[in-house]
PDB file of all heavy atoms in Angstrom:
ATOM      1  N   VAL A   1     -24.705  -0.297  13.865  1.00  0.00           N
ATOM      2  CA  VAL A   1     -24.661  -0.967  15.187  1.00  0.00           C
ATOM      3  C   VAL A   1     -25.973  -0.690  15.891  1.00  0.00           C
ATOM      4  O   VAL A   1     -26.474   0.447  15.918  1.00  0.00           O
ATOM      5  CB  VAL A   1     -23.432  -0.412  16.048  1.00  0.00           C
ATOM      6  CG1 VAL A   1     -23.525  -0.984  17.454  1.00  0.00           C
ATOM      7  CG2 VAL A   1     -22.136  -0.758  15.346  1.00  0.00           C
ATOM      8  N   TYR A   2     -26.591  -1.735  16.455  1.00  0.00           N
ATOM      9  CA  TYR A   2     -27.945  -1.677  16.947  1.00  0.00           C
ATOM     10  C   TYR A   2     -28.030  -1.709  18.463  1.00  0.00           C
ATOM     11  O   TYR A   2     -29.032  -1.366  19.061  1.00  0.00           O
ATOM     12  CB  TYR A   2     -28.757  -2.784  16.367  1.00  0.00           C
ATOM     13  CG  TYR A   2     -28.476  -2.887  14.882  1.00  0.00           C
ATOM     14  CD1 TYR A   2     -27.673  -3.971  14.344  1.00  0.00           C
ATOM     15  CD2 TYR A   2     -29.001  -1.940  13.984  1.00  0.00           C
ATOM     16  CE1 TYR A   2     -27.407  -3.981  13.002  1.00  0.00           C
ATOM     17  CE2 TYR A   2     -28.697  -2.017  12.626  1.00  0.00           C
ATOM     18  CZ  TYR A   2     -27.914  -3.039  12.127  1.00  0.00           C
ATOM     19  OH  TYR A   2     -27.574  -3.099  10.779  1.00  0.00           O
ATOM     20  N   LYS A   3     -26.917  -2.132  19.147  1.00  0.00           N
ATOM     21  CA  LYS A   3     -26.816  -2.061  20.602  1.00  0.00           C
ATOM     22  C   LYS A   3     -25.362  -1.691  20.928  1.00  0.00           C
ATOM     23  O   LYS A   3     -24.446  -2.204  20.338  1.00  0.00           O
ATOM     24  CB  LYS A   3     -27.128  -3.454  21.218  1.00  0.00           C
ATOM     25  CG  LYS A   3     -28.597  -3.858  21.158  1.00  0.00           C
ATOM     26  CD  LYS A   3     -28.854  -5.175  21.900  1.00  0.00           C
ATOM     27  CE  LYS A   3     -30.274  -5.560  21.939  1.00  0.00           C
ATOM     28  NZ  LYS A   3     -30.502  -6.841  22.655  1.00  0.00           N
ATOM     29  N   GLY A   4     -25.228  -0.786  21.938  1.00  0.00           N
ATOM     30  CA  GLY A   4     -23.914  -0.299  22.241  1.00  0.00           C
ATOM     31  C   GLY A   4     -23.388   0.605  21.131  1.00  0.00           C
ATOM     32  O   GLY A   4     -24.176   1.224  20.388  1.00  0.00           O
ATOM     33  N   ARG A   5     -22.112   0.759  21.065  1.00  0.00           N
ATOM     34  CA  ARG A   5     -21.535   1.595  19.934  1.00  0.00           C
ATOM     35  C   ARG A   5     -20.137   1.068  19.513  1.00  0.00           C
ATOM     36  O   ARG A   5     -19.496   0.394  20.285  1.00  0.00           O
ATOM     37  CB  ARG A   5     -21.355   3.049  20.429  1.00  0.00           C
ATOM     38  CG  ARG A   5     -20.192   3.391  21.358  1.00  0.00           C
ATOM     39  CD  ARG A   5     -20.181   4.822  21.643  1.00  0.00           C
ATOM     40  NE  ARG A   5     -18.988   5.261  22.378  1.00  0.00           N
ATOM     41  CZ  ARG A   5     -17.885   5.653  21.858  1.00  0.00           C
ATOM     42  NH1 ARG A   5     -17.772   5.701  20.518  1.00  0.00           N
ATOM     43  NH2 ARG A   5     -16.845   6.084  22.574  1.00  0.00           N
ATOM     44  N   GLU A   6     -19.848   1.406  18.274  1.00  0.00           N
ATOM     45  CA  GLU A   6     -18.554   0.932  17.781  1.00  0.00           C
ATOM     46  C   GLU A   6     -17.460   1.883  18.266  1.00  0.00           C
ATOM     47  O   GLU A   6     -17.742   3.014  18.513  1.00  0.00           O
ATOM     48  CB  GLU A   6     -18.596   0.898  16.218  1.00  0.00           C
ATOM     49  CG  GLU A   6     -18.854   2.274  15.561  1.00  0.00           C
ATOM     50  CD  GLU A   6     -20.338   2.582  15.491  1.00  0.00           C
ATOM     51  OE1 GLU A   6     -21.105   2.304  16.434  1.00  0.00           O
ATOM     52  OE2 GLU A   6     -20.764   3.206  14.448  1.00  0.00           O
ATOM     53  N   ARG A   7     -16.232   1.390  18.252  1.00  0.00           N
ATOM     54  CA  ARG A   7     -15.069   2.191  18.581  1.00  0.00           C
ATOM     55  C   ARG A   7     -14.015   2.097  17.503  1.00  0.00           C
ATOM     56  O   ARG A   7     -13.732   0.981  17.042  1.00  0.00           O
ATOM     57  CB  ARG A   7     -14.494   1.700  19.954  1.00  0.00           C
ATOM     58  CG  ARG A   7     -15.393   1.706  21.162  1.00  0.00           C
ATOM     59  CD  ARG A   7     -15.747   3.102  21.613  1.00  0.00           C
ATOM     60  NE  ARG A   7     -14.606   3.828  22.071  1.00  0.00           N
ATOM     61  CZ  ARG A   7     -14.174   3.790  23.354  1.00  0.00           C
ATOM     62  NH1 ARG A   7     -14.724   3.097  24.239  1.00  0.00           N
ATOM     63  NH2 ARG A   7     -13.078   4.553  23.614  1.00  0.00           N
ATOM     64  N   SER A   8     -13.438   3.166  17.135  1.00  0.00           N
ATOM     65  CA  SER A   8     -12.360   3.127  16.227  1.00  0.00           C
ATOM     66  C   SER A   8     -11.056   2.763  16.898  1.00  0.00           C
ATOM     67  O   SER A   8     -10.887   3.223  18.033  1.00  0.00           O
ATOM     68  CB  SER A   8     -12.204   4.574  15.537  1.00  0.00           C
ATOM     69  OG  SER A   8     -11.004   4.540  14.723  1.00  0.00           O
ATOM     70  N   ILE A   9     -10.196   2.054  16.207  1.00  0.00           N
ATOM     71  CA  ILE A   9      -8.934   1.712  16.802  1.00  0.00           C
ATOM     72  C   ILE A   9      -8.169   2.930  17.118  1.00  0.00           C
ATOM     73  O   ILE A   9      -7.249   2.887  17.995  1.00  0.00           O
ATOM     74  CB  ILE A   9      -8.127   0.667  15.884  1.00  0.00           C
ATOM     75  CG1 ILE A   9      -6.962   0.058  16.562  1.00  0.00           C
ATOM     76  CG2 ILE A   9      -7.724   1.370  14.619  1.00  0.00           C
ATOM     77  CD1 ILE A   9      -7.457  -0.768  17.830  1.00  0.00           C
ATOM     78  N   LEU A  10      -8.383   4.003  16.389  1.00  0.00           N
ATOM     79  CA  LEU A  10      -7.634   5.263  16.590  1.00  0.00           C
ATOM     80  C   LEU A  10      -7.885   5.882  17.946  1.00  0.00           C
ATOM     81  O   LEU A  10      -7.187   6.751  18.399  1.00  0.00           O
ATOM     82  CB  LEU A  10      -7.945   6.244  15.493  1.00  0.00           C
ATOM     83  CG  LEU A  10      -7.522   5.913  14.096  1.00  0.00           C
ATOM     84  CD1 LEU A  10      -8.027   6.886  13.032  1.00  0.00           C
ATOM     85  CD2 LEU A  10      -6.031   5.694  14.006  1.00  0.00           C
ATOM     86  N   GLU A  11      -8.942   5.421  18.586  1.00  0.00           N
ATOM     87  CA  GLU A  11      -9.185   5.868  20.005  1.00  0.00           C
ATOM     88  C   GLU A  11      -8.232   5.258  20.962  1.00  0.00           C
ATOM     89  O   GLU A  11      -8.118   5.735  22.112  1.00  0.00           O
ATOM     90  CB  GLU A  11     -10.619   5.501  20.397  1.00  0.00           C
ATOM     91  CG  GLU A  11     -11.699   6.185  19.582  1.00  0.00           C
ATOM     92  CD  GLU A  11     -13.078   5.772  20.015  1.00  0.00           C
ATOM     93  OE1 GLU A  11     -13.522   6.229  21.103  1.00  0.00           O
ATOM     94  OE2 GLU A  11     -13.737   5.061  19.212  1.00  0.00           O
ATOM     95  N   PHE A  12      -7.545   4.212  20.520  1.00  0.00           N
ATOM     96  CA  PHE A  12      -6.665   3.461  21.396  1.00  0.00           C
ATOM     97  C   PHE A  12      -5.213   3.521  21.034  1.00  0.00           C
ATOM     98  O   PHE A  12      -4.324   3.275  21.931  1.00  0.00           O
ATOM     99  CB  PHE A  12      -7.103   1.970  21.468  1.00  0.00           C
ATOM    100  CG  PHE A  12      -8.566   1.813  21.936  1.00  0.00           C
ATOM    101  CD1 PHE A  12      -9.600   1.709  20.963  1.00  0.00           C
ATOM    102  CD2 PHE A  12      -8.884   1.698  23.234  1.00  0.00           C
ATOM    103  CE1 PHE A  12     -10.886   1.564  21.360  1.00  0.00           C
ATOM    104  CE2 PHE A  12     -10.155   1.531  23.635  1.00  0.00           C
ATOM    105  CZ  PHE A  12     -11.219   1.463  22.706  1.00  0.00           C
ATOM    106  N   THR A  13      -4.915   3.819  19.776  1.00  0.00           N
ATOM    107  CA  THR A  13      -3.477   3.835  19.323  1.00  0.00           C
ATOM    108  C   THR A  13      -3.375   4.628  18.021  1.00  0.00           C
ATOM    109  O   THR A  13      -4.324   4.641  17.242  1.00  0.00           O
ATOM    110  CB  THR A  13      -2.951   2.439  19.109  1.00  0.00           C
ATOM    111  OG1 THR A  13      -1.572   2.526  18.701  1.00  0.00           O
ATOM    112  CG2 THR A  13      -3.744   1.608  18.095  1.00  0.00           C
ATOM    113  N   ASP A  14      -2.210   5.208  17.848  1.00  0.00           N
ATOM    114  CA  ASP A  14      -1.822   5.866  16.620  1.00  0.00           C
ATOM    115  C   ASP A  14      -1.178   4.897  15.643  1.00  0.00           C
ATOM    116  O   ASP A  14      -0.958   5.207  14.443  1.00  0.00           O
ATOM    117  CB  ASP A  14      -1.026   7.080  16.767  1.00  0.00           C
ATOM    118  CG  ASP A  14      -1.674   8.199  17.489  1.00  0.00           C
ATOM    119  OD1 ASP A  14      -2.939   8.334  17.286  1.00  0.00           O
ATOM    120  OD2 ASP A  14      -1.052   8.942  18.270  1.00  0.00           O
ATOM    121  N   ARG A  15      -0.765   3.694  16.078  1.00  0.00           N
ATOM    122  CA  ARG A  15      -0.059   2.736  15.324  1.00  0.00           C
ATOM    123  C   ARG A  15      -1.123   1.860  14.550  1.00  0.00           C
ATOM    124  O   ARG A  15      -1.165   0.654  14.751  1.00  0.00           O
ATOM    125  CB  ARG A  15       0.853   1.900  16.134  1.00  0.00           C
ATOM    126  CG  ARG A  15       2.066   2.556  16.662  1.00  0.00           C
ATOM    127  CD  ARG A  15       2.933   1.645  17.520  1.00  0.00           C
ATOM    128  NE  ARG A  15       3.342   0.433  16.807  1.00  0.00           N
ATOM    129  CZ  ARG A  15       4.353   0.346  15.893  1.00  0.00           C
ATOM    130  NH1 ARG A  15       5.078   1.456  15.634  1.00  0.00           N
ATOM    131  NH2 ARG A  15       4.657  -0.793  15.392  1.00  0.00           N
ATOM    132  N   ALA A  16      -1.897   2.538  13.676  1.00  0.00           N
ATOM    133  CA  ALA A  16      -2.931   1.875  13.069  1.00  0.00           C
ATOM    134  C   ALA A  16      -3.267   2.362  11.672  1.00  0.00           C
ATOM    135  O   ALA A  16      -3.115   3.574  11.388  1.00  0.00           O
ATOM    136  CB  ALA A  16      -4.273   2.045  13.950  1.00  0.00           C
ATOM    137  N   PHE A  17      -3.612   1.456  10.816  1.00  0.00           N
ATOM    138  CA  PHE A  17      -4.150   1.724   9.522  1.00  0.00           C
ATOM    139  C   PHE A  17      -5.702   1.496   9.635  1.00  0.00           C
ATOM    140  O   PHE A  17      -6.139   0.423  10.149  1.00  0.00           O
ATOM    141  CB  PHE A  17      -3.598   0.780   8.433  1.00  0.00           C
ATOM    142  CG  PHE A  17      -2.112   0.862   8.251  1.00  0.00           C
ATOM    143  CD1 PHE A  17      -1.236   0.184   9.079  1.00  0.00           C
ATOM    144  CD2 PHE A  17      -1.599   1.596   7.171  1.00  0.00           C
ATOM    145  CE1 PHE A  17       0.116   0.265   8.892  1.00  0.00           C
ATOM    146  CE2 PHE A  17      -0.245   1.655   6.999  1.00  0.00           C
ATOM    147  CZ  PHE A  17       0.655   1.002   7.789  1.00  0.00           C
ATOM    148  N   VAL A  18      -6.457   2.411   9.134  1.00  0.00           N
ATOM    149  CA  VAL A  18      -7.932   2.256   9.245  1.00  0.00           C
ATOM    150  C   VAL A  18      -8.520   2.202   7.818  1.00  0.00           C
ATOM    151  O   VAL A  18      -8.287   3.066   6.971  1.00  0.00           O
ATOM    152  CB  VAL A  18      -8.561   3.461  10.024  1.00  0.00           C
ATOM    153  CG1 VAL A  18     -10.093   3.385   9.928  1.00  0.00           C
ATOM    154  CG2 VAL A  18      -8.107   3.429  11.440  1.00  0.00           C
ATOM    155  N   LEU A  19      -9.261   1.132   7.572  1.00  0.00           N
ATOM    156  CA  LEU A  19     -10.018   1.002   6.293  1.00  0.00           C
ATOM    157  C   LEU A  19     -11.490   1.373   6.491  1.00  0.00           C
ATOM    158  O   LEU A  19     -12.058   0.968   7.560  1.00  0.00           O
ATOM    159  CB  LEU A  19      -9.931  -0.550   5.859  1.00  0.00           C
ATOM    160  CG  LEU A  19      -8.592  -1.063   5.484  1.00  0.00           C
ATOM    161  CD1 LEU A  19      -8.536  -2.583   5.666  1.00  0.00           C
ATOM    162  CD2 LEU A  19      -8.249  -0.715   4.037  1.00  0.00           C
ATOM    163  N   ASN A  20     -11.997   2.116   5.602  1.00  0.00           N
ATOM    164  CA  ASN A  20     -13.435   2.500   5.659  1.00  0.00           C
ATOM    165  C   ASN A  20     -13.888   2.877   4.304  1.00  0.00           C
ATOM    166  O   ASN A  20     -13.100   2.901   3.348  1.00  0.00           O
ATOM    167  CB  ASN A  20     -13.655   3.611   6.721  1.00  0.00           C
ATOM    168  CG  ASN A  20     -14.995   3.563   7.310  1.00  0.00           C
ATOM    169  OD1 ASN A  20     -15.999   3.113   6.740  1.00  0.00           O
ATOM    170  ND2 ASN A  20     -15.114   4.056   8.555  1.00  0.00           N
ATOM    171  N   GLY A  21     -15.199   3.156   4.176  1.00  0.00           N
ATOM    172  CA  GLY A  21     -15.712   3.529   2.871  1.00  0.00           C
ATOM    173  C   GLY A  21     -17.249   3.821   2.967  1.00  0.00           C
ATOM    174  O   GLY A  21     -17.790   4.020   4.054  1.00  0.00           O
ATOM    175  N   PHE A  22     -17.843   3.807   1.770  1.00  0.00           N
ATOM    176  CA  PHE A  22     -19.206   4.284   1.707  1.00  0.00           C
ATOM    177  C   PHE A  22     -20.209   3.176   1.250  1.00  0.00           C
ATOM    178  O   PHE A  22     -21.392   3.397   1.224  1.00  0.00           O
ATOM    179  CB  PHE A  22     -19.203   5.494   0.724  1.00  0.00           C
ATOM    180  CG  PHE A  22     -18.370   6.558   1.193  1.00  0.00           C
ATOM    181  CD1 PHE A  22     -17.000   6.618   0.859  1.00  0.00           C
ATOM    182  CD2 PHE A  22     -18.915   7.558   2.037  1.00  0.00           C
ATOM    183  CE1 PHE A  22     -16.176   7.640   1.347  1.00  0.00           C
ATOM    184  CE2 PHE A  22     -18.031   8.629   2.472  1.00  0.00           C
ATOM    185  CZ  PHE A  22     -16.730   8.623   2.178  1.00  0.00           C
ATOM    186  N   SER A  23     -19.702   2.010   0.931  1.00  0.00           N
ATOM    187  CA  SER A  23     -20.526   0.993   0.322  1.00  0.00           C
ATOM    188  C   SER A  23     -21.647   0.510   1.223  1.00  0.00           C
ATOM    189  O   SER A  23     -22.831   0.410   0.784  1.00  0.00           O
ATOM    190  CB  SER A  23     -19.691  -0.263  -0.073  1.00  0.00           C
ATOM    191  OG  SER A  23     -18.803   0.077  -1.110  1.00  0.00           O
ATOM    192  N   LYS A  24     -21.335   0.280   2.529  1.00  0.00           N
ATOM    193  CA  LYS A  24     -22.332  -0.401   3.328  1.00  0.00           C
ATOM    194  C   LYS A  24     -23.246   0.585   4.038  1.00  0.00           C
ATOM    195  O   LYS A  24     -24.484   0.464   4.005  1.00  0.00           O
ATOM    196  CB  LYS A  24     -21.589  -1.272   4.431  1.00  0.00           C
ATOM    197  CG  LYS A  24     -20.537  -2.178   3.862  1.00  0.00           C
ATOM    198  CD  LYS A  24     -21.049  -3.216   2.896  1.00  0.00           C
ATOM    199  CE  LYS A  24     -19.980  -4.158   2.470  1.00  0.00           C
ATOM    200  NZ  LYS A  24     -20.456  -5.264   1.548  1.00  0.00           N
ATOM    201  N   LEU A  25     -22.685   1.578   4.752  1.00  0.00           N
ATOM    202  CA  LEU A  25     -23.503   2.498   5.521  1.00  0.00           C
ATOM    203  C   LEU A  25     -24.380   3.348   4.634  1.00  0.00           C
ATOM    204  O   LEU A  25     -25.520   3.650   4.982  1.00  0.00           O
ATOM    205  CB  LEU A  25     -22.584   3.364   6.404  1.00  0.00           C
ATOM    206  CG  LEU A  25     -23.281   4.309   7.350  1.00  0.00           C
ATOM    207  CD1 LEU A  25     -24.111   3.566   8.387  1.00  0.00           C
ATOM    208  CD2 LEU A  25     -22.212   5.171   8.015  1.00  0.00           C
ATOM    209  N   TYR A  26     -23.886   3.710   3.512  1.00  0.00           N
ATOM    210  CA  TYR A  26     -24.606   4.697   2.625  1.00  0.00           C
ATOM    211  C   TYR A  26     -25.174   4.043   1.400  1.00  0.00           C
ATOM    212  O   TYR A  26     -25.665   4.700   0.475  1.00  0.00           O
ATOM    213  CB  TYR A  26     -23.653   5.841   2.194  1.00  0.00           C
ATOM    214  CG  TYR A  26     -23.129   6.628   3.393  1.00  0.00           C
ATOM    215  CD1 TYR A  26     -21.867   6.427   3.819  1.00  0.00           C
ATOM    216  CD2 TYR A  26     -23.968   7.545   4.063  1.00  0.00           C
ATOM    217  CE1 TYR A  26     -21.352   7.122   4.889  1.00  0.00           C
ATOM    218  CE2 TYR A  26     -23.429   8.243   5.116  1.00  0.00           C
ATOM    219  CZ  TYR A  26     -22.107   8.078   5.560  1.00  0.00           C
ATOM    220  OH  TYR A  26     -21.658   8.752   6.634  1.00  0.00           O
ATOM    221  N   ALA A  27     -25.186   2.673   1.363  1.00  0.00           N
ATOM    222  CA  ALA A  27     -25.809   1.986   0.190  1.00  0.00           C
ATOM    223  C   ALA A  27     -25.202   2.426  -1.086  1.00  0.00           C
ATOM    224  O   ALA A  27     -25.867   2.782  -2.053  1.00  0.00           O
ATOM    225  CB  ALA A  27     -27.338   2.100   0.234  1.00  0.00           C
ATOM    226  N   MET A  28     -23.837   2.430  -1.173  1.00  0.00           N
ATOM    227  CA  MET A  28     -23.136   2.935  -2.318  1.00  0.00           C
ATOM    228  C   MET A  28     -22.181   1.887  -2.883  1.00  0.00           C
ATOM    229  O   MET A  28     -21.067   2.228  -3.327  1.00  0.00           O
ATOM    230  CB  MET A  28     -22.388   4.230  -1.913  1.00  0.00           C
ATOM    231  CG  MET A  28     -23.255   5.399  -1.598  1.00  0.00           C
ATOM    232  SD  MET A  28     -22.343   6.912  -1.080  1.00  0.00           S
ATOM    233  CE  MET A  28     -21.393   7.299  -2.503  1.00  0.00           C
ATOM    234  N   THR A  29     -22.548   0.609  -2.856  1.00  0.00           N
ATOM    235  CA  THR A  29     -21.659  -0.422  -3.312  1.00  0.00           C
ATOM    236  C   THR A  29     -21.136  -0.217  -4.730  1.00  0.00           C
ATOM    237  O   THR A  29     -19.953  -0.362  -5.011  1.00  0.00           O
ATOM    238  CB  THR A  29     -22.295  -1.788  -3.192  1.00  0.00           C
ATOM    239  OG1 THR A  29     -23.556  -1.765  -3.881  1.00  0.00           O
ATOM    240  CG2 THR A  29     -22.514  -2.236  -1.761  1.00  0.00           C
ATOM    241  N   GLY A  30     -22.048   0.155  -5.647  1.00  0.00           N
ATOM    242  CA  GLY A  30     -21.635   0.372  -7.066  1.00  0.00           C
ATOM    243  C   GLY A  30     -20.866   1.591  -7.333  1.00  0.00           C
ATOM    244  O   GLY A  30     -20.245   1.712  -8.430  1.00  0.00           O
ATOM    245  N   TRP A  31     -20.721   2.473  -6.381  1.00  0.00           N
ATOM    246  CA  TRP A  31     -19.948   3.736  -6.550  1.00  0.00           C
ATOM    247  C   TRP A  31     -18.437   3.497  -6.371  1.00  0.00           C
ATOM    248  O   TRP A  31     -17.665   4.244  -6.829  1.00  0.00           O
ATOM    249  CB  TRP A  31     -20.363   4.746  -5.520  1.00  0.00           C
ATOM    250  CG  TRP A  31     -21.856   5.216  -5.692  1.00  0.00           C
ATOM    251  CD1 TRP A  31     -22.978   4.466  -5.327  1.00  0.00           C
ATOM    252  CD2 TRP A  31     -22.314   6.464  -6.178  1.00  0.00           C
ATOM    253  NE1 TRP A  31     -24.073   5.251  -5.589  1.00  0.00           N
ATOM    254  CE2 TRP A  31     -23.673   6.440  -6.137  1.00  0.00           C
ATOM    255  CE3 TRP A  31     -21.646   7.608  -6.710  1.00  0.00           C
ATOM    256  CZ2 TRP A  31     -24.481   7.476  -6.560  1.00  0.00           C
ATOM    257  CZ3 TRP A  31     -22.431   8.641  -7.143  1.00  0.00           C
ATOM    258  CH2 TRP A  31     -23.830   8.614  -7.032  1.00  0.00           C
ATOM    259  N   ARG A  32     -18.104   2.368  -5.742  1.00  0.00           N
ATOM    260  CA  ARG A  32     -16.759   1.952  -5.593  1.00  0.00           C
ATOM    261  C   ARG A  32     -15.882   3.053  -4.971  1.00  0.00           C
ATOM    262  O   ARG A  32     -15.009   3.564  -5.659  1.00  0.00           O
ATOM    263  CB  ARG A  32     -16.137   1.436  -6.869  1.00  0.00           C
ATOM    264  CG  ARG A  32     -16.886   0.295  -7.594  1.00  0.00           C
ATOM    265  CD  ARG A  32     -17.356  -0.844  -6.682  1.00  0.00           C
ATOM    266  NE  ARG A  32     -16.244  -1.457  -5.921  1.00  0.00           N
ATOM    267  CZ  ARG A  32     -16.273  -1.737  -4.614  1.00  0.00           C
ATOM    268  NH1 ARG A  32     -17.327  -1.471  -3.910  1.00  0.00           N
ATOM    269  NH2 ARG A  32     -15.239  -2.255  -4.038  1.00  0.00           N
ATOM    270  N   LEU A  33     -16.114   3.345  -3.702  1.00  0.00           N
ATOM    271  CA  LEU A  33     -15.345   4.350  -3.078  1.00  0.00           C
ATOM    272  C   LEU A  33     -15.046   4.011  -1.599  1.00  0.00           C
ATOM    273  O   LEU A  33     -15.963   3.708  -0.784  1.00  0.00           O
ATOM    274  CB  LEU A  33     -16.099   5.723  -3.143  1.00  0.00           C
ATOM    275  CG  LEU A  33     -15.210   6.932  -2.866  1.00  0.00           C
ATOM    276  CD1 LEU A  33     -14.231   7.178  -4.064  1.00  0.00           C
ATOM    277  CD2 LEU A  33     -15.991   8.151  -2.636  1.00  0.00           C
ATOM    278  N   GLY A  34     -13.771   4.046  -1.261  1.00  0.00           N
ATOM    279  CA  GLY A  34     -13.391   3.768   0.116  1.00  0.00           C
ATOM    280  C   GLY A  34     -12.205   4.718   0.453  1.00  0.00           C
ATOM    281  O   GLY A  34     -11.903   5.608  -0.325  1.00  0.00           O
ATOM    282  N   TYR A  35     -11.643   4.456   1.608  1.00  0.00           N
ATOM    283  CA  TYR A  35     -10.524   5.279   1.989  1.00  0.00           C
ATOM    284  C   TYR A  35      -9.692   4.548   3.056  1.00  0.00           C
ATOM    285  O   TYR A  35     -10.144   3.583   3.749  1.00  0.00           O
ATOM    286  CB  TYR A  35     -10.897   6.646   2.531  1.00  0.00           C
ATOM    287  CG  TYR A  35     -11.844   6.723   3.700  1.00  0.00           C
ATOM    288  CD1 TYR A  35     -11.354   6.722   4.986  1.00  0.00           C
ATOM    289  CD2 TYR A  35     -13.220   6.771   3.486  1.00  0.00           C
ATOM    290  CE1 TYR A  35     -12.281   6.803   6.065  1.00  0.00           C
ATOM    291  CE2 TYR A  35     -14.077   6.877   4.551  1.00  0.00           C
ATOM    292  CZ  TYR A  35     -13.576   6.853   5.876  1.00  0.00           C
ATOM    293  OH  TYR A  35     -14.432   6.924   6.895  1.00  0.00           O
ATOM    294  N   LEU A  36      -8.468   5.013   3.206  1.00  0.00           N
ATOM    295  CA  LEU A  36      -7.491   4.453   4.174  1.00  0.00           C
ATOM    296  C   LEU A  36      -6.880   5.558   4.976  1.00  0.00           C
ATOM    297  O   LEU A  36      -6.401   6.576   4.356  1.00  0.00           O
ATOM    298  CB  LEU A  36      -6.509   3.628   3.337  1.00  0.00           C
ATOM    299  CG  LEU A  36      -5.331   2.945   4.200  1.00  0.00           C
ATOM    300  CD1 LEU A  36      -6.000   1.858   5.022  1.00  0.00           C
ATOM    301  CD2 LEU A  36      -4.394   2.259   3.181  1.00  0.00           C
ATOM    302  N   ILE A  37      -6.921   5.485   6.229  1.00  0.00           N
ATOM    303  CA  ILE A  37      -6.220   6.401   7.128  1.00  0.00           C
ATOM    304  C   ILE A  37      -4.832   5.781   7.410  1.00  0.00           C
ATOM    305  O   ILE A  37      -4.767   4.656   7.901  1.00  0.00           O
ATOM    306  CB  ILE A  37      -6.993   6.699   8.397  1.00  0.00           C
ATOM    307  CG1 ILE A  37      -8.341   7.330   8.084  1.00  0.00           C
ATOM    308  CG2 ILE A  37      -6.170   7.613   9.368  1.00  0.00           C
ATOM    309  CD1 ILE A  37      -9.225   7.524   9.312  1.00  0.00           C
ATOM    310  N   VAL A  38      -3.797   6.514   7.064  1.00  0.00           N
ATOM    311  CA  VAL A  38      -2.445   5.906   7.016  1.00  0.00           C
ATOM    312  C   VAL A  38      -1.534   6.589   7.996  1.00  0.00           C
ATOM    313  O   VAL A  38      -1.479   7.870   8.054  1.00  0.00           O
ATOM    314  CB  VAL A  38      -1.861   6.150   5.523  1.00  0.00           C
ATOM    315  CG1 VAL A  38      -0.535   5.447   5.440  1.00  0.00           C
ATOM    316  CG2 VAL A  38      -2.833   5.640   4.499  1.00  0.00           C
ATOM    317  N   PRO A  39      -0.704   5.847   8.744  1.00  0.00           N
ATOM    318  CA  PRO A  39       0.282   6.465   9.616  1.00  0.00           C
ATOM    319  C   PRO A  39       1.225   7.296   8.733  1.00  0.00           C
ATOM    320  O   PRO A  39       1.656   6.830   7.620  1.00  0.00           O
ATOM    321  CB  PRO A  39       0.987   5.246  10.205  1.00  0.00           C
ATOM    322  CG  PRO A  39      -0.055   4.186  10.188  1.00  0.00           C
ATOM    323  CD  PRO A  39      -0.782   4.338   8.912  1.00  0.00           C
ATOM    324  N   GLU A  40       1.665   8.419   9.238  1.00  0.00           N
ATOM    325  CA  GLU A  40       2.424   9.392   8.412  1.00  0.00           C
ATOM    326  C   GLU A  40       3.662   8.759   7.698  1.00  0.00           C
ATOM    327  O   GLU A  40       3.871   9.066   6.520  1.00  0.00           O
ATOM    328  CB  GLU A  40       2.852  10.501   9.332  1.00  0.00           C
ATOM    329  CG  GLU A  40       3.376  11.774   8.602  1.00  0.00           C
ATOM    330  CD  GLU A  40       4.820  11.608   8.158  1.00  0.00           C
ATOM    331  OE1 GLU A  40       5.547  10.963   8.828  1.00  0.00           O
ATOM    332  OE2 GLU A  40       5.210  12.179   7.086  1.00  0.00           O
ATOM    333  N   PRO A  41       4.443   7.900   8.304  1.00  0.00           N
ATOM    334  CA  PRO A  41       5.642   7.382   7.571  1.00  0.00           C
ATOM    335  C   PRO A  41       5.311   6.612   6.304  1.00  0.00           C
ATOM    336  O   PRO A  41       6.184   6.379   5.493  1.00  0.00           O
ATOM    337  CB  PRO A  41       6.325   6.456   8.622  1.00  0.00           C
ATOM    338  CG  PRO A  41       5.833   6.955   9.942  1.00  0.00           C
ATOM    339  CD  PRO A  41       4.389   7.399   9.702  1.00  0.00           C
ATOM    340  N   PHE A  42       4.092   6.152   6.173  1.00  0.00           N
ATOM    341  CA  PHE A  42       3.718   5.281   5.048  1.00  0.00           C
ATOM    342  C   PHE A  42       2.996   6.011   3.942  1.00  0.00           C
ATOM    343  O   PHE A  42       2.740   5.480   2.863  1.00  0.00           O
ATOM    344  CB  PHE A  42       2.817   4.093   5.491  1.00  0.00           C
ATOM    345  CG  PHE A  42       3.509   3.226   6.466  1.00  0.00           C
ATOM    346  CD1 PHE A  42       3.470   3.400   7.839  1.00  0.00           C
ATOM    347  CD2 PHE A  42       4.184   2.041   5.972  1.00  0.00           C
ATOM    348  CE1 PHE A  42       4.039   2.544   8.697  1.00  0.00           C
ATOM    349  CE2 PHE A  42       4.805   1.161   6.876  1.00  0.00           C
ATOM    350  CZ  PHE A  42       4.733   1.404   8.223  1.00  0.00           C
TER     351      PHE A  42
END
């Protein structure tokens, strides 16, 4: 982000699944690694 700042949806609610990973920010596309933040019941 080059102006302002990004906000995670977790700042606004716990009823959220968050997708993230390492491909874009860390130039790791070929490493194939991501993660999911999951609400506890799931």
